[in-house]
Amino acid sequence: MEGSSAKLSSAAAGQTLALGRGLVSVLREHAQRDRYARAQEEAMRSAVPSIAWAVLLIVSAYIGVQLWLRPSQVWAVWPAYGLQLLAPLAVLAGVRTRMWERHAETLFVVGEFVFTAALVSQVLSRETAIAGIAGFVAVKVMATALFVPWRARRQYASVAFTLALYGLGLVLAPHFADEPRKLHLVAVPAVAGILSVLGVAQAARLRETLLHEAADRDLAVKRLETVLDRMPVGCIISDAELRYVYWNKAAENIFGYSSDEVLGKSAVEVVTPPHLRNLSVRGFEELAQGRNTTVGPMRLENITKDGRTIICEWNAVALTDPDGAFVGMLSMCQDVTEQHRTEQARRELVGQLQEADRMRAAFVATLSHELRSPLNVILGYHELLHEGVFGTLSTAQLEVLDRIGQAARQLLELVTSTLEVSRIQAGRAALNLRLLQPLGLMEQIRSETLELQQKDGVSVEWDLSERLPPVYTDEAKLKVIVKNLLSNALKYTEAGTVKISARAVERGIEIAVSDTGPGIPEDLLPHIFEPFRRGEVDSKKSGAGLGLYLVRFFADLIGAQITVQSTVGQGSTFSVLLPIQPPGILVEPSG
Ligand code: ADP
């Protein structure tokens, strides 16, 4: 139960982080009051080029019409027409720069007034060209204002104002005999009116988009909250001032406080005991100052609403807005009190067992050492007796003496092996890794075991590949492994063949010792590497049942893998898979 929830939580943790980040950024955006204004600015900036084109076209068309109707007048006042073209473009370019942007609104309001003044001046003045310039500059500025999403009320007022001027122009026009003035009175407000309507339409579209976005955000927040609430781990979000802003259902279950009871409170005071508050604040500061992006996992003491002390495992992550600024912290916690206690008890028990084991190994080592001396004395006197130093012995006496000698030697072998194993177990088997050529080592083993290989009825074959890669290993330990396997094969095979092979395999070498001996019964096979485990039928053979135990022990030390295949009546094959370098050990090339 505990294990499965732990597994679940680690998978959920990653998901929660992503969700939490999303939630906070959504919450932040949601709270942004000036989002609409920012969207306006954005739209304005992006609309400026198209407005510039529109202005250019309208002014060119106007100049074209004037050229067609009154070419002489146009040539006479060409600087004025030039200004008509350049002035609005300059205003638009200005709006696009950051400096003017902030004053854009004022600029447009001023434009509206200029526009009004221009119209009034047109009506009053006889200088239609000057009035035309003023009017056009005003119209272009107006156009910019109306193209961008203006605040709704002001926008409608502006449209109404423009249309009213247009109406006024229509009413006044017939009272003026002079054609250009008539044209200005009607054309200028008409153009402004068209641009106003376009602006309103664009603003309406933008408002709708923003409304949809807001609705989508609300939905996303709801979904995220539902997911976080269903998380099996406690999810807590604190803001940049270290106050709780979110507390999910699992956190309610762990600490006993409901979300309403803690929201807004300091995130280090509710469940953190006083002596750990500084630690929590430090963790928070590390995240806030960007020195770390995550904190944990760490186990801390916490206090529940009913005053219980529990152990929780915490993971925290910094939450940042899209610009990278710190906005808060998402903490995830799990109540691991039970697990913590069990682990502590287990650690204590392991410590006690290790100590007991160390004492046992030390005791066995001392005992074996002490046993060897009297045994050697027995064997020494046995030799002397056998050689007749103390007088000639009868055949019956010699037979008994042989049995005594055999038993003493067996006992000595047992004691020696036990001593060796206990030395290793007591931690005296240091690993001595160096780069060696396996072929040379195998040849060495071959020559060192020549006597052992002289067994009647058994032929020994060596099949050593010439292309064995050099390996980082402990030579002495590898020798013990191979010699033990070889001596077992020779010991248990009465007649047949013993074959030793070595070949390169993927990422290492494989040394195999196979024989055509009696094989190992299926029920014994899983136990042959255990200490003092011997086959029933082999009790006639010398041995303490420690050979294969040592083989496995040393193989584990040098990172080799031992496999055995055996069929009763057919023989056995022991394979040693030796890696180029023991896994998990970084070997520095020597020299
Ligand atoms: P020992 O040889 O001293 O009995 P080992 O630990 O070397 O102890 O071997 C454990 C047991 O595994 C042996 O008693 C024997 O029954 C079996 N065994 C090991 N090697 C072979 C082999 N090559 N052929 C048959 N049996 C084997």
Side-chain angles (χ1 to χ4, degrees), residues 413 484-493 513-515 517-521 524 527-539 541-551 566 571-574:
E413 195 178 329
N484 261 297
L485 294 177
L486 177 62
S487 84
N488 270 357
L490 285 160
K491 180 164 69 178
Y492 294 107
T493 308
V513 179
S514 56
D515 61 60
I520 303 163
L524 179 66
H527 306 289
I528 51 172
F529 293 100
E530 294 166 11
F532 305 110
R533 256 322 171 101
R534 306 199 67 202
E536 295 251 323
V537 286
D538 311 304
S539 45
K541 311 257 181 208
S542 66
L546 287 169
L548 288 181
Y549 172 72
L550 272 183
V551 165
S566 186
S572 319
T573 302
F574 287 81

Side-chain angles (χ1 to χ4, degrees), residues 475-488:
E475 183 179 345
K477 293 189 175 55
L478 184 58
K479 252 190 191 176
V480 171
I481 294 173
V482 180
K483 277 188 178 176
N484 261 297
L485 294 177
L486 177 62
S487 84
N488 270 357

Side-chain angles (χ1 to χ4, degrees), residues 446-447 449-460 490:
R446 184 181 190 167
S447 63
T449 52
L450 280 180
E451 211 177 302
L452 193 71
Q453 292 173 48
Q454 306 300 318
K455 185 171 176 181
D456 288 342
V458 178
S459 66
V460 181
L490 285 160

